[in-house]
Amino acid sequence: MSSPAISKPVILSVDDDPGVSRAVVRDLRRRYGADYRIVRAESGPQALDALRELELRGQAVAVLIADYRMPGMDGIEFLEQAMDLHPYARRVLLTAYADTSAAIEAINVIDLDHYLLKPWDPPEEKLYPVLDSLLEAWRASDQRPITETKVVGNRWSPRSSSLREFLARNQLPYRWFLADEPKGARLLEAASADPQRCPVVITSAGSVLIQPSDSELAEHVGLAVNAEGEFYDLIVVGGGPAGLGAAVYGASEGLRTVLVERTATGGQAGQSSRIENYLGFPDGLSGAQLADRARRQASKFGAEVITTREVIGLEVNGSARTVRFADGGRLCAHTVIISTGVDYRHHPAPGVDEFTGRGVYYGSAMTEAAGCAEHDVYIVGGANSAGQSAVFLSRSARTVHLVVRGDALANSMSHYLIQQIEQIPNIVVHTNTEVSSADGDDHLERIILRDNSSGEEEKVDTERLFLFIGAAPQTDWLDGVVLRDDAGYVLAGPDLLVDGARPPGWELPRPPHHLETSVPGVFVAGDVHADSAKRVASAVGEGAMAVMLVHRYLA
């Protein structure tokens, strides 16, 4: 059982000047020591280490107070990194008068809550009122508790793999235990669960879920699965960069907005280990970080985000647009933005289907990265997502083999990624090569590579095969309602005008807006849009543009 001191929320202060640090902590303990645990650090890295430890313990952090001028890592840099560890903590910057311009800029850069000028004496007038207000706001905010969910399963179980991936992509902390190891066996015994019915999830509240569905798990771990209302200004279908961008701009501009996502926000981009060419992030960030920040930003402006709801149909009911769910539910709005993105194409080689989830994974499957340590892994694909995964896995794997059907990476991969790959000695690129089959017993053990130039085949041993083989839009649910091209991508705007003629059934006196589909009031954004750029930045831009056109339609 946790001690009272450990269970208290934390106020953390970081300052490289020992005298100032002691003074801050002294004043904090005097006022807040009874209800909060006061933690002190003397550098940004030291403070980040403390925050990581608090995160591992599942301890809430209420306020972060950082000095601006610190060597190695200034206060703004620290607070920006701390946001990823404890996004709900309130952020305060200590500055000298000469640094106020930097503090004001930080309000937009890191969503700074307040800056305090040094010295803050007397604290009763300059420090405590500020912190009282921030703590009150923190207590009243809708915080997702950092709790420990336990997952017990089998190493080569497809459902165990997909369940862990679901938790990871939704930014939900969990611990993974193997059913045939002592700790996992003890948990199953305590839960009175049959080892043959894994995976088993034990929530932080002690609930036991046997082979739960995604929606059942989502309800138990605090994700929203049902919309609060029945009618909205805007329904966004799909939570990738385009959908998240649309939700942010729609909600921030006053539209009652709901985003519907089948699995987890972020889409394919959310599975990327590192995005380095996105504007404003010169050091790069992971797709999960980008998705999490965007989701929190959308929620901040009032957009609802619901998950594990699969949309299977679209209806036009007078001025209303209705989306139908697989579970029989439905949701109505004045307008809809389709941003369902694309899925990876199915690999046709024999054995791939049999071992999917048991050594074969579509996408990055970040939860499987730990199992790649000191192993030879194979990645199929020649675009950025495959290259980013190769760079990431090369840090732990013995070798990473990048299998590319084309004759050069330059045909489909960004130049910066090609340069990185060329500098990493344990990445081997196989051009003009395909996987022709996969084989093993209870999991993947070997694959056969075929050289398309010579026709020769080579059998290689591996337990991990990651597939990034192009994209396919999942738009069958739009059959008979919205016009698409031969590949299934949604047509919009000028693409709908054939020899100047408007699409069949179009009754408005104006032509379709740029991102408007063949159904008035239904728009498209992102990768599912025909001839889209297939880049994160362009998807976000289309999401924002679609909202502008929604306003024009509603007007």
Side-chain angles (χ1 to χ4, degrees):
M1 182 179 294
S2 301
S3 68
I6 295 297
S7 62
K8 292 178 182 178
V10 169
I11 299 175
L12 183 144
S13 170
V14 53
D15 196 308
D16 66 304
D17 185 328
V20 174
S21 181
R22 285 192 293 269
V24 173
V25 169
R26 177 200 65 213
D27 289 339
L28 291 175
R29 285 178 177 156
R30 182 186 305 161
R31 176 83 168 201
Y32 306 107
D35 300 314
Y36 294 87
R37 180 184 170 204
I38 312 301
V39 176
R40 169 188 164 198
E42 294 185 356
S43 71
Q46 184 186 92
L48 288 174
D49 286 341
L51 289 177
R52 292 186 186 101
E53 184 175 347
L54 293 169
E55 171 72 5
L56 290 174
R57 294 179 180 180
Q59 196 164 357
V61 177
V63 176
L64 301 169
I65 304 172
D67 185 55
Y68 173 60
R69 288 188 178 272
M70 293 187 293
M73 178 185 291
D74 65 33
I76 295 177
E77 293 173 311
F78 159 73
L79 289 172
E80 184 173 14
Q81 294 190 42
M83 287 172 64
D84 292 330
L85 291 168
H86 294 275
Y88 300 108
R90 303 294 162 163
R91 293 171 283 278
V92 178
L93 195 67
L94 291 177
T95 67
Y97 182 81
D99 298 322
T100 53
S101 59
I104 293 172
E105 182 181 352
I107 292 174
N108 293 321
V109 174
I110 59 169
D111 198 17
L112 188 71
D113 293 293
H114 209 281
Y115 68 91
L116 290 170
L117 293 177
K118 297 187 292 187
W120 59 87
D121 290 324
E124 289 78 7
E125 295 179 12
K126 299 183 177 180
L127 177 65
Y128 297 155
V130 170
L131 292 185
D132 285 347
S133 175
L134 293 178
L135 289 169
E136 181 179 358
W138 177 79
R139 289 191 296 267
S141 64
D142 181 16
Q143 305 162 47
R144 186 199 309 167
I146 307 300
T147 57
E148 184 181 71
T149 295
K150 301 175 183 64
V151 181
V152 186
N154 301 307
R155 188 186 305 275
W156 300 113
S157 160
R159 181 53 187 155
S160 292
S161 175
S162 62
L163 188 149
R164 292 163 60 207
E165 193 74 6
F166 175 83
L167 289 170
R169 289 184 60 191
N170 280 287
Q171 301 288 299
L172 296 167
Y174 72 94
R175 292 192 63 185
W176 163 243
F177 300 93
L178 291 171
D180 57 359
E181 292 186 348
K183 179 62 176 177
R186 288 196 297 270
L187 286 171
L188 290 176
E189 183 179 359
S192 300
D194 184 349
Q196 301 302 315
R197 299 192 63 200
C198 287
V200 173
V201 177
I202 304 169
T203 70
S204 59
S207 299
V208 177
L209 308 177
I210 308 295
Q211 298 177 341
S213 65
D214 286 353
S215 58
E216 182 184 2
L217 179 60
E219 287 188 87
H220 279 82
V221 295
L223 294 176
V225 296
N226 294 301
E228 295 179 4
E230 296 180 356
F231 198 94
Y232 291 80
D233 296 318
L234 171 63
I235 299 172
V236 181
V237 183
L244 287 167
V248 167
Y249 282 95
S252 67
E253 294 176 13
L255 297 178
R256 191 177 185 199
T257 302
V258 59
L259 185 152
V260 181
E261 169 54 44
R262 181 178 58 184
T263 303
T265 53
Q268 283 190 355
Q271 296 178 278
S272 175
S273 55
R274 201 71 180 168
I275 301 172
E276 296 188 70
N277 60 350
Y278 188 64
L279 184 67
F281 294 89
D283 297 324
L285 78 168
S286 72
Q289 288 174 315
L290 180 62
D292 183 56
R293 291 182 180 187
R295 181 193 56 76
R296 288 192 280 117
Q297 194 173 16
S299 298
K300 168 186 173 182
F301 288 120
E304 291 181 42
V305 179
I306 61 176
T307 58
T308 68
R309 301 300 297 275
E310 182 178 2
V311 176
I312 61 168
L314 175 67
E315 298 175 358
V316 178
N317 298 307
S319 62
R321 305 292 178 259
T322 302
V323 296
R324 292 186 289 108
F325 299 128
D327 61 4
R330 57 182 55 217
L331 206 56
C332 300
H334 293 298
T335 59
V336 172
I337 294 178
I338 301 167
S339 55
T340 48
V342 293
D343 287 342
Y344 291 111
R345 292 188 184 278
H346 168 78
H347 199 294
V352 168
D353 282 349
E354 180 183 351
F355 295 109
T356 298
R358 296 191 291 142
V360 175
Y361 306 98
Y362 284 89
S364 61
M366 300 293 288
T367 55
E368 301 298 328
C372 297
E374 299 303 318
H375 285 74
D376 300 321
V377 302
Y378 285 76
I379 298 173
V380 178
N384 279 8
S385 53
Q388 290 160 350
S389 184
V391 171
F392 174 73
L393 291 176
S394 68
R395 301 170 190 169
S396 58
R398 182 166 52 208
T399 58
V400 176
H401 296 264
L402 192 55
V403 181
V404 184
R405 185 169 57 180
D407 56 10
L409 289 176
N411 296 339
S412 53
M413 190 177 294
S414 294
H415 180 64
Y416 82 92
L417 261 179
I418 297 174
Q419 287 184 309
Q420 286 186 24
I421 289 171
E422 289 174 347
Q423 298 300 314
I424 300 175
N426 64 330
I427 296 181
V428 181
V429 180
H430 305 263
T431 56
N432 294 308
T433 304
E434 291 186 75
V435 173
S436 61
S437 69
D439 191 21
D441 290 327
D442 68 330
H443 66 279
L444 179 70
E445 296 179 24
R446 63 195 70 87
I447 60 175
I448 293 179
L449 300 178
R450 181 175 59 233
D451 186 321
N452 290 333
S453 299
S454 65
E456 295 181 358
E457 293 190 336
E458 177 188 7
K459 182 183 293 185
V460 295
D461 293 332
T462 184
E463 293 185 336
R464 296 291 192 283
L465 175 65
F466 298 94
L467 304 174
F468 300 83
I469 49 174
Q474 303 300 311
T475 54
D476 290 348
W477 61 282
L478 297 172
D479 279 351
V481 182
V482 172
L483 291 180
R484 298 166 291 151
D485 66 13
D486 291 340
Y489 291 93
V490 177
L491 298 169
D495 293 335
L496 292 168
L497 306 179
V498 180
D499 297 327
R502 296 170 185 176
W506 187 270
E507 298 178 355
L508 298 182
R510 61 166 178 82
H513 293 310
H514 179 64
L515 295 176
E516 195 169 20
T517 70
S518 57
V519 177
V522 177
F523 299 81
V524 64
D527 289 0
V528 74
H529 181 199
D531 296 323
S532 63
K534 305 296 188 292
R535 288 292 185 267
V536 173
S538 61
V540 173
E542 283 199 351
M545 182 185 295
V547 170
M548 178 190 74
L549 298 174
V550 163
H551 279 287
R552 190 175 297 177
Y553 169 83
L554 293 174

